[in-house]
Amino acid sequence: MFEKVLVANRGEIAVRIIRALREMGAGSVAVYSDADREALHARLADEAYHIGAAPASESYLNIERLVETALRSGAEAVHPGYGFLAESAPFARAVEEAGLVWIGPHPEAIEAMGSKVESRRLMSKAGVPITPGTGEPVSSPEEALAFAGEFGYPIAVKAAAGGGGKGFAVAASEEEVGAAFERASREGELYFGDGAVYLERYLPGPRHIEIQVIRDRFGNAVHLGERDCSIQRRHQKLLEECPSPALNPEMREAMGRAAVHAAEAVDYDNVGTVEFLVQDHEFYFLEMNTRVQVEHPVTELVTGVDIVRAGIRIAAGEELGLRQEEVDWRGHAIECRLNAENPALDFAPAPGFVTAYEEPGGPGVRVDSSLKGPGLVPESYDPLFAKLIVWGEDREAALGRLRRALTEFRVEGVATTLPFFRAVLEEEDFLKGEYTTRYIPEHIAGMRLEAGGPAAAAPPGREAREVEVEVNGRLFRVKVYSGESEGRSDGRPRRGRRAGRATSGEGEIVAPMQGTIVKVLVEAGQEVEPDEAVCVLEAMKMESEIRAGRGGVVREVLVEAGQAVQSGERLLVLE
């Protein structure tokens, strides 16, 4: 076993890995950027090293600096967590070339599964079902049009190096092909350094179900069953449960065998997840995530297998020590991702300072978090700051426990996804387990997102705090809404607009949140229609189209691609 491991990540996954290392008797080394000087993961680790400025490109994505820090600290191994460089074959190779151990699969497996085109080829050869698609990247929208002519609409345009919902666009008609091609290619270049795209037949309303696999360096492999990840916004998951309400034992076993075959096809040697789309009782390979997943806790609670520890042990050269017939599933688990986002405003990012933070407790409740109390959710990174995971003896019991835990969870100072999860628990289709990846667009308009509770979302542009008032000997907890306020990157409040869609007052279109302009879609003198997209803004790893609130002629364009903007900053002027 390792004596010291560097965790090349931040947030709740870094906290999770640091705690696992401590339980295993290994020392932990954290790294932190300027934005994370006071972060929980940096405080919990045995050692912590500063690695650069807040932008990830200058800190958590700096391979040379991470490897140098690992060597300087005396670490023997590097755990990448998820996100950032977790699925980077060059990082894995750099770690190994420095004489360190990479806690993850070997670089060739990362490369094979990181290329969506290559992974589809390998899966087809291994007998794993795949959706109809192109065997090689395509170079033009015209090729996409020809593909649609053969297979029909809608089609999916995907970045060959994409994942996590990035570099993914759907064209429902001939008119949408060009924009879908451009967006998928742009996001592939932006997030993965590769603008190549491929095409698939798009399944309009599937379940998104993934299988957890573990395989050691001696060829021993098991699957730990499925996680249903169908509730998503912008192809990124919000809620996961295990087992899936949609699978029967026969299909679960078939998908489990396919996932193990997928791992064997690339000689996989650590923990990983094979993702499938399921429609009409058929399943199709989507991708393989060559790392620990955000939603791994639901599988841990149902199987009793510590997935993070298993990955560390395998990297240290130990055998898996678990046979498929020994894997047992008990009860039901559900995970909710707490993001600093406003569900009432299309899940717009809402970073800032959390002024009050209280976690739920009690039987069957687990919280994996980057916070221990008030603290910052930085604008530079993913908006996820905590995960609420509950277990019950069956799905009904788990839902009851989740309802109770959501009532106890208190987060103030930023908008969060808590109101969305409370609303989901009042929705009939979810309670019956009858949902697909189309759940949010089909249901959110009818949800009561401002439902009561200790952490109910504040109205747009308002900040809420809870106070206790005693009246005639009875204690009441009430919400008090302040004026407009938004957290600054240094944790202090500032005046401004809360994250949301752009507004157009007196002819001005302003940024609804802090971020970076990816593309300007209009030019001076151009006429725009009401609700027409005028530019694309990237914030907290998500792209949002900024739309005109009214029609008019563009009098002035005040920004350009690559420019950083603040919330409320003017982007365009209409006349």
Side-chain angles (χ1 to χ4, degrees):
M1 184 47 63
F2 306 115
E3 290 188 7
K4 188 187 290 188
V5 175
L6 181 137
V7 182
N9 217 298
R10 64 173 301 280
E12 66 86 16
I13 189 58
V15 171
R16 169 75 178 93
I17 296 165
I18 288 165
R19 285 172 170 161
L21 290 168
R22 183 157 294 158
E23 292 171 3
M24 301 173 78
S28 58
V29 179
V31 293
Y32 64 91
S33 68
D34 286 350
D36 282 333
R37 288 185 184 277
E38 304 299 322
L40 180 59
H41 76 277
R43 301 202 309 267
L44 282 182
D46 297 308
E47 303 172 31
Y49 292 81
H50 178 251
I51 55 168
S57 60
E58 300 178 39
S59 49
Y60 298 107
L61 293 176
N62 189 320
I63 291 177
E64 183 178 349
R65 190 167 300 161
L66 288 166
V67 172
E68 184 275 329
T69 302
L71 293 171
R72 180 157 60 104
S73 70
E76 303 162 79
V78 173
H79 198 308
Y82 60 71
F84 292 130
L85 294 168
E87 295 178 280
S88 167
F91 185 37
R93 287 198 177 93
V95 167
E96 294 180 345
E97 289 168 1
L100 304 167
V101 176
W102 171 258
I103 301 180
H106 59 87
E108 292 73 25
I110 298 175
E111 256 173 358
M113 288 305 192
S115 167
K116 300 303 179 277
V117 174
E118 175 66 8
S119 64
R120 282 171 54 83
R121 186 190 68 80
L122 288 169
M123 293 305 98
S124 180
K125 185 177 179 181
V128 179
I130 62 173
T131 54
T134 55
E136 298 293 336
V138 297
S139 58
S140 70
E142 286 71 30
E143 291 180 75
L145 288 169
F147 179 84
E150 180 178 357
F151 293 100
Y153 290 99
I155 63 170
V157 186
K158 296 184 176 183
K166 297 301 181 188
F168 181 103
V170 176
S173 65
E174 180 178 341
E175 291 74 25
E176 296 179 6
V177 168
F181 186 94
E182 194 274 338
R183 177 178 175 180
S185 180
R186 182 181 71 246
E187 289 191 1
E189 182 66 39
L190 178 65
Y191 294 106
F192 309 105
D194 185 353
V197 301
Y198 70 102
L199 309 172
E200 282 185 3
R201 180 167 67 87
Y202 181 68
L203 302 178
R207 303 285 287 227
H208 185 157
I209 295 176
E210 61 189 26
I211 304 289
Q212 176 72 56
V213 294
I214 308 178
R215 190 172 186 267
D216 65 22
R217 295 176 177 176
F218 306 95
N220 304 305
V222 298
H223 73 82
L224 302 183
E226 84 279 10
R227 297 183 286 257
D228 198 318
C229 309
S230 302
I231 295 186
Q232 309 172 359
R233 52 94 177 95
R234 292 185 286 272
H235 307 291
Q236 294 180 311
K237 304 161 189 171
L238 281 177
L239 182 148
E240 303 94 359
E241 57 181 316
C242 172
S244 168
L247 294 197
N248 56 38
E250 293 75 25
M251 194 166 188
R252 178 175 298 113
E253 183 56 31
M255 293 179 70
R257 286 195 304 268
V260 171
H261 290 330
E264 292 171 342
V266 291
D267 194 25
Y268 203 80
D269 57 350
N270 210 268
V271 302
T273 300
V274 183
E275 303 199 351
F276 298 95
L277 296 179
V278 177
Q279 190 158 5
D280 300 327
H281 306 291
E282 299 288 340
F283 63 91
Y284 305 93
F285 173 80
L286 176 63
E287 63 183 5
M288 185 174 187
N289 296 127
T290 53
R291 52 170 168 81
V292 65
Q293 290 278 89
V294 178
E295 58 272 19
H296 73 275
V298 293
T299 299
E300 292 183 329
L301 292 183
V302 170
T303 64
V305 177
D306 189 316
I307 294 169
V308 172
R309 289 179 62 153
I312 296 170
R313 288 198 304 267
I314 290 171
E318 297 182 19
E319 289 195 46
L320 176 58
L322 180 67
R323 298 191 301 264
Q324 189 63 57
E325 57 267 28
E326 296 174 322
V327 178
D328 188 30
W329 293 271
R330 178 176 173 270
H332 197 99
I334 305 173
E335 174 181 292
C336 296
R337 300 191 188 191
L338 271 66
N339 298 332
E341 297 175 342
N342 194 329
L345 295 175
D346 194 27
F347 296 92
F353 194 81
V354 175
T355 56
Y357 180 82
E358 295 178 6
E359 295 176 354
V365 175
R366 167 177 166 177
V367 178
D368 287 12
S369 179
S370 61
L371 299 175
K372 204 64 181 172
L376 181 67
V377 181
E379 61 200 8
S380 301
Y381 314 117
D382 191 278
L384 175 70
F385 63 89
K387 302 180 311 198
L388 169 63
I389 315 102
V390 301
W391 178 92
E393 59 267 23
D394 54 29
R395 189 169 189 263
E396 184 178 358
L399 289 171
R401 188 158 280 163
L402 178 60
R403 189 173 286 107
R404 186 266 297 172
L406 286 169
T407 301
E408 294 180 12
F409 218 131
R410 180 185 175 206
V411 182
E412 296 183 1
V414 298
T416 76
T417 47
L418 280 168
F420 169 75
F421 296 122
R422 295 194 183 98
V424 166
L425 289 181
E426 297 179 358
E427 202 283 312
E428 184 177 356
D429 285 343
F430 174 76
L431 294 178
K432 292 189 297 185
E434 298 176 354
Y435 57 85
T436 72
T437 55
R438 295 286 304 160
Y439 179 84
I440 289 180
E442 290 174 353
H443 291 81
I444 195 162
M447 288 184 176
R448 295 193 300 119
L449 293 177
E450 301 296 330
R462 308 282 299 280
E463 186 173 284
R465 62 187 179 91
E466 185 180 84
V467 298
E468 296 181 346
V469 180
E470 186 177 302
V471 180
N472 294 330
R474 181 181 175 184
L475 185 64
F476 293 87
R477 292 181 177 87
V478 297
K479 283 285 182 184
V480 176
Y481 295 104
S482 67
E484 289 187 289
S485 173
E486 185 175 331
R488 291 165 40 130
S489 59
D490 59 8
R492 291 176 291 157
R494 72 172 177 215
R495 303 292 294 182
R497 301 179 186 268
R498 183 166 295 277
R501 75 176 273 184
T503 60
S504 180
E506 299 301 324
E508 295 182 351
I509 299 176
V510 304
M513 66 195 86
Q514 181 168 330
T516 301
I517 299 296
V518 175
K519 188 174 184 180
V520 178
L521 305 174
V522 297
E523 57 186 22
Q526 180 176 336
E527 186 173 351
V528 298
E529 299 293 328
D531 203 41
E532 181 177 343
V534 295
C535 61
V536 179
L537 177 72
E538 190 271 337
M540 296 185 83
K541 297 175 65 177
M542 289 189 291
E543 284 192 6
S544 300
E545 289 184 338
I546 307 303
R547 298 179 176 274
R550 66 169 178 84
V553 175
V554 179
R555 187 177 75 196
E556 191 176 6
V557 178
L558 304 172
V559 293
E560 60 185 16
Q563 181 176 334
V565 296
Q566 300 295 320
S567 175
E569 185 172 336
R570 294 193 308 159
L571 307 177
L572 292 92
V573 179
L574 300 179
E575 59 183 14

